[in-house]
Amino acid sequence: MDNIVRLYGELHLNKLRLQLSRMKKPEGVPYFLTATDEGALIRQVEYDKYLEVAFKHEIMDDDLRNRLMSNVWSTFFQAKNELMAAYCVESNGHKISFHPKGKNNTKGEFTIHTESDNIFVEVKSPIKEPDSIVWSGNDALSIRKTIKDAANKQLDKNNTNLLIFSGNMRIPITHSYHSGIIEALYGEEKLVFSTNSSNLSNVPERHFEASGLFQSHRNTRISAVATLQDLLTEKGYHYSFKLFHNPFALKKISIDLFKGIKQYAYNDETDQMNWI
């Protein structure tokens, strides 16, 4: 793992190992970078690949270096996931370049260069932990706020914009319905009871309420939102990458661009959003 040593140096890594040895509960940056159990070693090998992307593209400036060197997990987590997203997209065969210009001279993470268009990419990785041991609901409100804030601050309507959501939420974002990503972007199903003068009707009906971010009159600068998460399961290490298209986007992303990736898109034949 030469790139990890190149960035951190053995002296700093030894300090993290010492911190890890004194922890009652191994976690955070010291665990991620220096633990020696199988799961940690697998993630370190992958992380080394992310750093290779940064060094190859010569983007290891002071800001990125400081965030990757931070002992604050949320700071490190955001920086790591920016590189993880770049690694996954480039590994999928796409040409990328870094630090594209966004709204009001803000900068995005990277650009995906295609034959027909350039796609501005921003990565967001908020962390949302349960407020208590017992809780209910999903993370739709948190997801919606993160995406809306990014769109308002960074996404220029003249760009084709992809926002990659890679947060660590209370319900893993790999669970598209239960996590709240579908609700945040499109809306939610509700039970509707018909009434008359005497009582409720016998059978409630299900109706979809289009209350999400994607609307014909707002948030049209968002071309699509993707969810990205690295997973270590009994089947091994892999990435979950799903793309959720905005049917009202000013500039749409072609479904063909991400062939082989699970996508939620508008179907002309059914007049509905469907998985493809």
Side-chain angles (χ1 to χ4, degrees):
M1 292 178 278
D2 295 339
N3 293 301
I4 291 178
V5 175
R6 178 180 176 184
L7 175 62
Y8 295 94
E10 285 293 353
L11 181 62
H12 185 74
L13 290 172
N14 284 335
K15 289 180 180 179
L16 292 176
R17 292 185 183 103
L18 182 60
Q19 290 180 30
L20 181 64
S21 69
R22 293 173 176 173
M23 288 180 170
K24 292 182 179 179
K25 181 182 178 183
E27 60 184 359
V29 175
Y31 173 79
F32 184 90
L33 288 175
T34 64
T36 57
D37 61 87
E38 183 180 5
L41 290 173
I42 291 173
R43 284 197 160 91
Q44 288 161 20
V45 168
E46 293 299 305
Y47 178 55
D48 200 76
K49 297 175 184 177
Y50 313 161
L51 295 180
E52 185 176 351
V53 171
F55 286 124
K56 181 179 71 173
H57 287 273
E58 299 181 343
I59 62 165
M60 192 62 76
D61 57 13
D62 289 342
D63 172 68
L64 179 58
R65 184 184 301 273
N66 289 338
R67 290 188 294 133
L68 291 172
M69 296 284 290
S70 175
N71 219 26
V72 178
W73 177 251
S74 58
T75 302
F76 171 82
F77 185 69
Q78 172 65 37
K80 173 187 75 72
N81 284 2
E82 291 168 11
L83 294 180
M84 178 175 72
Y87 166 77
C88 288
V89 170
E90 190 172 55
S91 297
N92 202 40
H94 298 294
K95 182 181 178 182
I96 64 174
S97 62
F98 286 84
H99 302 152
K101 185 178 179 180
K103 182 180 178 183
N104 297 328
N105 290 320
T106 56
K107 288 184 179 179
E109 260 60 80
F110 56 90
T111 296
I112 303 173
H113 299 280
T114 73
E115 292 182 358
S116 59
D117 199 3
N118 292 325
I119 301 173
F120 178 95
V121 180
E122 176 63 20
V123 179
K124 292 299 180 186
S125 300
I127 296 174
K128 179 72 173 178
E129 297 179 351
D131 300 320
S132 61
I133 295 176
V134 179
W135 64 277
S136 62
N138 60 31
D139 293 307
L141 290 178
S142 297
I143 294 170
R144 185 180 292 133
K145 183 179 186 307
T146 297
I147 295 172
K148 186 175 181 180
D149 287 349
N152 291 337
K153 293 176 183 177
Q154 295 175 276
L155 304 189
D156 191 307
K157 66 180 181 181
N158 295 313
N159 292 336
T160 302
N161 296 300
L162 171 62
L163 197 149
I164 297 179
F165 189 93
S166 189
N168 186 8
M169 311 305 285
R170 295 176 298 181
I171 299 176
I173 54 175
T174 51
H175 301 292
S176 302
Y177 287 100
H178 298 302
S179 69
I181 187 73
I182 294 285
E183 180 181 334
L185 298 179
Y186 302 101
E188 59 183 322
E189 280 192 342
K190 291 189 174 181
L191 288 177
V192 178
F193 295 87
S194 300
T195 62
N196 53 39
S197 58
S198 58
N199 55 15
L200 296 175
S201 64
N202 293 328
V203 182
E205 296 181 354
R206 287 185 177 273
H207 287 273
F208 186 82
E209 183 177 288
S211 55
L213 286 173
F214 293 164
Q215 302 282 339
S216 61
H217 58 286
R218 65 171 184 262
N219 301 312
T220 54
R221 70 186 62 198
I222 307 173
S223 303
V225 170
T227 56
L228 172 63
Q229 190 167 22
D230 57 325
L231 299 170
L232 182 59
T233 67
E234 294 178 353
K235 297 181 179 180
Y237 189 88
H238 66 281
Y239 296 94
S240 171
F241 189 92
K242 298 177 184 178
L243 194 64
F244 301 84
H245 293 266
N246 183 355
F248 306 108
L250 292 172
K251 292 193 172 185
K252 294 180 172 60
I253 294 176
S254 171
I255 293 172
D256 294 334
L257 184 63
F258 289 98
K259 283 184 177 180
I261 290 175
K262 198 169 183 180
Q263 303 182 58
Y264 198 63
Y266 178 73
N267 187 315
D268 290 325
E269 295 181 359
T270 63
D271 194 28
Q272 292 179 337
M273 300 295 295
N274 297 119
W275 287 108
I276 57 173

